[in-house]
Amino acid sequence: MPLRGPAIIAAAPSLPVIARTVAALLIAFATLSSVAQGLPDLGDISSATITEQQEKTVGNRIMRDLRADPAYVDDPEVADYITGLGTRLMSAADIPRRDVTYFVVQDDAINAFALVGGHIGMHTGLFTLTQNESELAGVMSHEIAHILQKHQARSIAGASRAQWASLAAMAVAILASKSGSSSSGQMAEAAAATAGALQIQSQLDYTREHEREADRVGLTLLERAGFDPHGMASFFERLMRANRLNEFKGAPSYLRTHPLTTERIADMQDRTPAPILRMARSDNLDYRLMRAKLRAAVGSPTEAVAYFRAELAEKGVVRLREDVYGLAVAQRRARDFDGVLKTLEPLRTGESHPAFERLAAQVLADRGQAEEALEVYRKALKSFPETRALAVGYLELLMDKGRAREVIAEAEERQRKFPEDPRIYELQARAYEATGRPLSQHRAQAEALFRSGNLGAAVQQLDWAVRLKNNDFYEQSSAEARLRELRALLEIERAAEKALKIS
Ligand SMILES: [Zn+2]
């Protein structure tokens, strides 16, 4: 497939989420500098001043902002897919890190990034540009390698005092824009862009070495996890060629943050085993479906429908499931609900897929057929009990229909399967509120906030919970125990923030 369609290559004109992320990082970096300035030698401050806990605290703070950003892709299907991919690659490491999070950012610019504290973000543009799962896995494994090799911490340690000073000045401008003073908004945007460039500039010496190392480690992960190791080189090569031919409007951000040279690609090719030896996996259907789903979100609804109709017409009799599904997703955007159900029908006969069932249930709910939608969810959950998107969708619909008692009855069972999901706790809290059980409401809300990385607000909820007049001794003491637990965690976080001077 050639690089097609302006939608794929259109760069977001406004300050996208990544620039704001860079801004947040700069604030963290700039404040780290104040720690560094107290030390006589800046040569090796990473181990001396940046503890793992501090790194985590900085990372969590950035993630808290990111999660609230509309560009953060909150879709549980997409989230579970990318987490599954990341976990699989990470498991191939000699010493895997289990605490890394993986997420998707709605942005057409081709980019992926690793944040301090172990968070990996992948732009939706990557899904549409990659041609198979191994290519996407190649980009991901490179980011995982940056984290495994602790490159961010090493970059922080490498910056000079002068660089820190200018970064700190710009961070102030960024903070001003965050506080909402309208006149400084534009200035801060400009500052963020400049600061981003500066930061990258300051790291250039390290970057080349880091990039090579990330390629090497990433390639090993890719191969061990059972992907086609050619995925990495082929994607980077295509990215470079497309950039040279100016097929992108502006250089893709990926090339700006990950300088790519012919040397690097040659290096990758040298390390990739000969084609005859490899056992390439066939592409995962989940990858192709998520790729179609994200593609269906590009452009206007009419354009998206037209794209998949053209795709299906081009391939003639071979109707790929992902193209049919993509069309159905696009039709839902165009509010052609009858069309969606008709398109989905052949996909759902025989062996269905949780994504097809979820879409069918969503569209039935859109049409006001809540009972039918709930029935689709119930059936699908029997066939696919491990699919979080179905469990969340089911509980959400129940709550929307005011069936709080059923939410309470069902939520606990789902929580046992998906203990880290904040949304189920949130729905549970709403259900308790609707049935007049404030203690349980605050407890569930606390768990939801805790799982969204907002420890302070979680403690506040528990504090309210224990102040209520409760007759149930067991409930009361269990809430108190949880409050003590989370308070202890909050103390650790606050100590780290204090050390970084970001509190
Ligand atoms: Zn890189």
Side-chain angles (χ1 to χ4, degrees):
M1 185 183 88
L3 284 166
R4 76 170 77 223
I8 293 178
I9 54 175
S14 65
L15 190 71
V17 69
I18 180 62
R20 263 171 285 137
T21 304
V22 168
L25 263 177
L26 286 172
I27 295 164
F29 285 173
T31 43
L32 273 169
S33 74
S34 55
V35 178
Q37 272 163 12
L39 295 166
D41 178 23
L42 285 169
D44 183 30
I45 63 158
S46 67
S47 53
T49 55
I50 306 156
T51 67
E52 217 165 283
Q53 183 57 45
Q54 288 168 339
E55 227 191 282
K56 270 207 178 107
T57 305
V58 174
N60 286 343
R61 251 187 112 99
I62 298 169
M63 283 308 292
R64 220 179 295 162
D65 289 350
L66 254 168
R67 280 199 197 94
D69 196 293
Y72 180 86
V73 177
D74 206 14
D75 182 316
E77 275 170 352
V78 176
D80 285 359
Y81 168 72
I82 207 70
T83 301
L85 179 67
T87 309
R88 193 169 132 200
L89 288 162
M90 181 58 97
S91 305
D94 290 333
I95 307 166
R97 265 184 66 173
R98 305 273 174 222
D99 58 343
V100 172
T101 61
Y102 311 89
F103 61 98
V104 176
V105 173
Q106 182 73 50
D107 196 324
D108 290 343
I110 312 302
N111 210 354
F113 54 92
L115 300 175
V116 276
H119 307 279
I120 294 178
M122 309 281 279
H123 282 196
T124 48
L126 270 175
F127 279 82
T128 36
L129 192 72
T130 52
Q131 290 179 353
N132 57 59
E133 193 176 28
S134 291
E135 291 190 346
L136 186 69
V139 178
M140 171 78 92
S141 65
H142 176 98
E143 297 307 323
I144 291 177
H146 276 312
I147 286 187
L148 287 172
Q149 304 304 112
K150 295 188 178 298
H151 285 161
Q152 302 102 334
R154 274 153 61 183
S155 298
I156 294 168
S160 74
R161 266 169 213 247
Q163 281 163 336
W164 284 128
S166 57
L167 292 181
M170 288 184 191
V172 172
I174 293 155
L175 277 173
S177 82
K178 276 195 146 188
S179 72
S181 48
S182 53
S183 62
S184 63
Q186 285 212 319
M187 183 199 82
E189 273 196 15
T194 325
L198 233 178
Q199 185 223 351
I200 288 149
Q201 193 67 44
S202 73
Q203 285 177 23
L204 216 56
D205 288 346
Y206 299 87
T207 304
R208 298 234 160 136
E209 179 200 318
H210 287 172
E211 289 309 298
R212 259 200 300 275
E213 197 173 58
D215 287 342
R216 184 172 49 76
V217 174
L219 205 56
T220 311
L221 296 179
L222 195 62
E223 213 187 336
R224 283 192 198 161
F227 289 100
D228 179 356
H230 289 85
M232 205 179 216
S234 73
F235 178 70
F236 286 152
E237 212 175 7
R238 201 142 38 79
L239 195 58
M240 237 181 132
R241 199 176 333 125
N243 190 44
R244 247 198 326 268
L245 296 173
N246 211 10
E247 284 186 55
F248 293 101
K249 285 178 191 153
S253 345
Y254 191 84
L255 296 180
R256 259 182 279 131
T257 50
H258 300 74
L260 199 55
T261 58
T262 27
E263 247 175 285
R264 246 185 85 195
I265 288 176
D267 211 34
M268 262 182 255
Q269 281 162 342
D270 284 349
R271 291 173 190 278
T272 308
I276 196 116
L277 295 175
R278 74 189 150 105
M279 293 270 292
R281 306 167 47 95
S282 62
D283 257 0
N284 180 357
L285 178 63
D286 288 345
Y287 161 76
R288 293 183 320 214
L289 292 179
M290 290 309 108
R291 184 173 181 267
K293 182 181 200 174
L294 293 171
R295 183 60 189 78
V298 174
S300 72
T302 322
E303 279 165 358
V305 169
Y307 172 85
F308 282 103
R309 285 210 191 283
E311 211 55 20
L312 285 163
E314 196 181 297
K315 285 166 195 156
V317 282
V318 193
R319 288 171 70 88
L320 295 175
R321 277 180 293 180
E322 58 267 35
D323 290 337
V324 179
Y325 173 67
L327 174 62
V329 175
Q331 283 172 316
R332 183 177 181 224
R333 280 187 66 208
R335 303 192 65 77
D336 174 11
F337 301 141
D338 295 341
V340 178
L341 293 176
K342 221 178 122 206
T343 305
L344 279 177
E345 212 178 87
L347 293 177
R348 297 178 66 210
T349 48
E351 201 191 333
S352 191
H353 184 281
F356 307 155
E357 296 307 307
R358 180 171 179 244
L359 183 57
Q362 283 175 319
V363 164
L364 285 168
D366 290 338
R367 295 213 304 191
Q369 294 168 270
E371 281 313 315
E372 286 89 338
L374 289 169
E375 197 44 41
V376 170
Y377 275 128
R378 272 186 219 108
K379 263 196 187 156
L381 275 164
K382 279 200 185 105
S383 312
F384 312 104
E386 306 301 326
T387 308
R388 190 170 63 101
L390 289 172
V392 172
Y394 177 53
L395 294 175
E396 264 170 359
L397 184 55
L398 279 176
M399 198 61 228
D400 281 353
K401 296 294 150 197
R403 292 157 73 157
R405 272 168 225 290
E406 282 166 80
V407 173
I408 293 168
E410 297 260 356
E412 262 183 59
E413 188 198 329
R414 306 294 169 203
Q415 269 158 355
R416 274 195 289 276
K417 271 217 155 62
F418 313 105
E420 293 314 314
D421 188 281
R423 257 198 260 198
I424 299 180
Y425 278 103
E426 227 172 83
L427 287 162
Q428 202 182 27
R430 278 173 58 196
Y432 283 131
E433 187 184 12
T435 49
R437 291 170 62 182
L439 173 71
S440 303
Q441 178 202 332
H442 289 308
R443 284 214 62 183
Q445 194 60 49
E447 297 305 327
L449 288 161
F450 173 59
R451 280 161 182 76
S452 312
N454 203 341
L455 208 42
V459 164
Q460 178 68 73
Q461 288 287 333
L462 286 169
D463 208 41
W464 285 330
V466 299
R467 279 162 204 265
L468 293 165
K469 283 208 165 35
N470 298 301
N471 297 319
D472 189 321
F473 172 75
Y474 171 75
E475 270 200 283
Q476 175 74 21
S477 52
S478 123
E480 280 166 4
R482 188 64 173 147
L483 177 60
R484 279 194 298 274
E485 223 169 71
L486 293 198
R487 260 205 189 123
L489 287 176
L490 184 62
E491 232 143 80
I492 297 172
E493 192 182 283
R494 292 237 164 105
E497 286 180 353
K498 211 172 154 196
L500 291 167
K501 299 199 167 73
I502 59 175
S503 54

